[in-house]
Structure formats: C-alpha cells, structure tokens
Amino acid sequence: MNSRNLYSILGVPKDADEKELKRAYRKLAKKYHPDTNQGNVSAEQKFKEVTEAYDILSDPEKRKLYDQFGMAAFDGSMGDPSAWQAQSGNGYEDFFKGDRGYTQYHFHTGGSDDMDDILHDFFGGMFHGYGAKRSAQRSFAGEDLHAEITIRFEEAAFGCDKVITIDGSRKEQLQVHIPAGINEGQSVRLKGKGYSGTNGGKEGDLLLKVHIQESPFFERRGQDVYTKASIPFTTAALGGEATFRTLYGMVQCHVPAGTQSGGKIRLKQKGIVSMKEPSQKGDEYVIIQIEVPKNLSEQERAAIERLREVQRGHGRQNRRAS
C-alpha cells in the first residue's frame, strides 16, 4: 500500500473535507465488506485498504503526517530520525519502529519538557464471533479495544448473552451481557479487557458497539414500539375484539367502533424496558389497517348495498337540511 495514494484509494481529492471522506468510505466499505464478499480475497484486501486510508485521512494529525511524509510516517521507513525532525518542524522529536511491532512517536508541546507518548497500531482480524466486526487500537499507557456486534431486535429488547473471541496478541473467549433496552449504536464496556501498556501499564477496556437488526414486525421509537395490524371492516365500523402481536406475545384488546384506517391503538407497558429504570417500559402502538373484502357472497353484497343506500339517504337529508 506504500506506493498507493490514500486519496486515490478513497476516490476523493486531496482537499476533501470530513463529509466527503465519510461518504466515500461508507460507499466503498459497503461494496467490499467481507460479509457480502465471502471468499473473495481481492475484496477483502480492498476493504482493508479503504479502511486504513479512511483511518488515516479522517484523523487530522495522521492526515498532516501523511500529507508531509506519505506512508513512510507509519511504516518505519523514513530513515534517519534526526533528518525527519529537521524536516518536520512540528514538535516531533523522534520516530522509530518499536520492538513490539508498533509505531512510536514522541512529541512535546509549546517547547516544554512535558512529554507525551502516542502509539498507534493497525490490526486486522482482532475479533471473531457472532456479528463481530474488526477494529482495535492499543497505546503505551494501555488502550481500549473497539469491536462491533449485531444482534436481533428481540435480543436488544430483552437483553442477551453473547460469546466473542479475541484473537490478537492474546486469545481469549469472553461472555458479554447485552442489557435489555440497549439502543442502536450504544456500547457495552468490559473493564480491563483491552490492551495493557508497555512496562505493565494499566489495561484498557473492551468497548463493544451494538447494532440492531431491523424487525419485520416492529419499529422502535425511543422506548415505544410501533406495529401494523389489519382488522375486518365490520370490526372497525361496529367495534369488537381483535388480536395483536406484541414483543410479549399475542394479546387481545377491544377496538372502538368507528376506528379509521391509520388510527392507533395504544397497548400500555408493551414497549421496551428502560436501561436506566428497569421498572419502566414504553408502550406499543398498533397502526390499524382496514381489510376490504374482495370476494363477497351474495348475502354480504346485499348487506353492503343496503348500507350504501342508507348512507345515500342520510346524505340527501343533510343536504336538504343545509
């Protein structure tokens, strides 16, 4: 990848802003993602390339280094550190390849003696398991690991336990509890399951970002859920009992007479539990769709014809009254 241009890999100009970078990366990541290109080695390599390109160009400091020194700023091939310092003029003091396989930078701010150490390492294949996607970082002082997992709608609503495998510099199986009520994009933190720093530094945490599959039956809006249900024309007009699907099973409730198509019926406490207050639940809203019969018997047709005549008579009376 060293001979490649990161801007060309993402297909953006050198002055591309953050939105352009993100838009280009999402398009290419979706195209080359291993989940949709199973067994395609070329697509997997392209996915790694666009991910690394975005990781560098989306970070202002990394992008500044890349624009000035190219990929040599990240692979240890810049040669004499003193020459690099003389060229940079940006506060960096040395550059070398660490003996643990990471790239290390030392820099100072404002000319003071206060030193900070930044270590960056790009890893692939860090996590394997149900729905796990790949991403990890570690630092001199210990860094958090980042991973993503996809779970079903019902698993997010009620909570679940998942087992993932860390397969990097160490291999460990972890059981992760996903709490009930978790929302899209929220993360579960496992303390002390990140990378430890050098010289016995404190371990970071594992941050598992949760994605939730769409449900064919329910839509979540905060703690409330919405669903659609069809009821017979007669039930809508005259009222009656109907059975509706909920997260907690099928329930029967009363439909008021005169219910219109698109109207909503509220089922209390049939929504999603609050992560902060487990005793609190949202509601379910059933959006009513009225079934119009297609194949009428002679008796049904005659009854509807009589209803139409009655409605016409009411219409004529109302017009005369006005």
Side-chain angles (χ1 to χ4, degrees), residues 210-260:
V210 176
H211 296 293
I212 302 171
Q213 293 177 347
E214 291 185 1
S215 168
F217 306 112
F218 304 106
E219 177 188 350
R220 179 172 179 174
R221 301 180 190 177
Q223 288 178 238
D224 297 330
V225 294
Y226 285 71
T227 189
K228 295 179 180 179
S230 297
I231 61 174
F233 165 77
T234 52
T235 303
L238 304 176
E241 300 298 309
T243 301
F244 300 121
R245 183 192 304 272
T246 77
L247 286 169
Y248 307 89
M250 306 300 288
V251 300
Q252 190 176 57
C253 68
H254 180 72
V255 177
T259 295
Q260 302 296 305

Side-chain angles (χ1 to χ4, degrees), residues 29-137:
K30 183 178 181 180
K31 179 178 179 181
Y32 295 115
H33 197 283
D35 287 354
T36 55
N37 295 275
Q38 294 186 6
N40 189 331
V41 178
S42 176
E44 183 176 353
Q45 181 60 35
K46 289 289 293 183
F47 180 76
K48 290 179 180 179
E49 287 185 358
V50 298
T51 299
E52 183 175 359
Y54 179 71
D55 181 83
I56 292 174
L57 297 182
S58 63
D59 185 302
E61 292 300 325
K62 291 180 184 178
R63 185 173 182 177
K64 185 185 299 183
L65 285 172
Y66 172 75
D67 287 343
Q68 192 165 6
F69 303 107
M71 288 305 296
F74 304 95
D75 63 10
S77 62
M78 293 188 64
D80 182 10
S82 61
W84 178 72
Q85 178 190 3
Q87 293 173 4
S88 67
N90 60 5
Y92 286 87
E93 294 188 342
D94 61 4
F95 174 95
F96 60 89
K97 195 74 171 180
D99 58 3
R100 292 179 61 190
Y102 51 73
T103 301
Q104 180 170 334
Y105 303 91
H106 293 284
F107 69 96
H108 61 82
T109 56
S112 69
D113 293 330
D114 183 29
M115 301 294 293
D116 293 310
D117 296 305
I118 301 177
L119 307 178
H120 289 286
D121 202 0
F122 300 102
F123 293 89
M126 288 301 302
F127 293 94
H128 302 284
Y130 178 82
K133 301 185 185 300
R134 304 169 178 177
S135 175
Q137 292 180 324

Side-chain angles (χ1 to χ4, degrees), residues 164-181:
I164 64 173
T165 301
I166 300 177
D167 189 9
S169 62
R170 61 182 178 183
K171 189 168 185 176
E172 181 181 4
Q173 276 198 336
L174 300 175
Q175 180 167 307
V176 183
H177 178 68
I178 310 295

Side-chain angles (χ1 to χ4, degrees), residues 154-166:
E154 291 77 10
E155 290 177 319
F158 296 109
C160 60
D161 292 310
K162 294 293 181 182
V163 176
I164 64 173
T165 301
I166 300 177

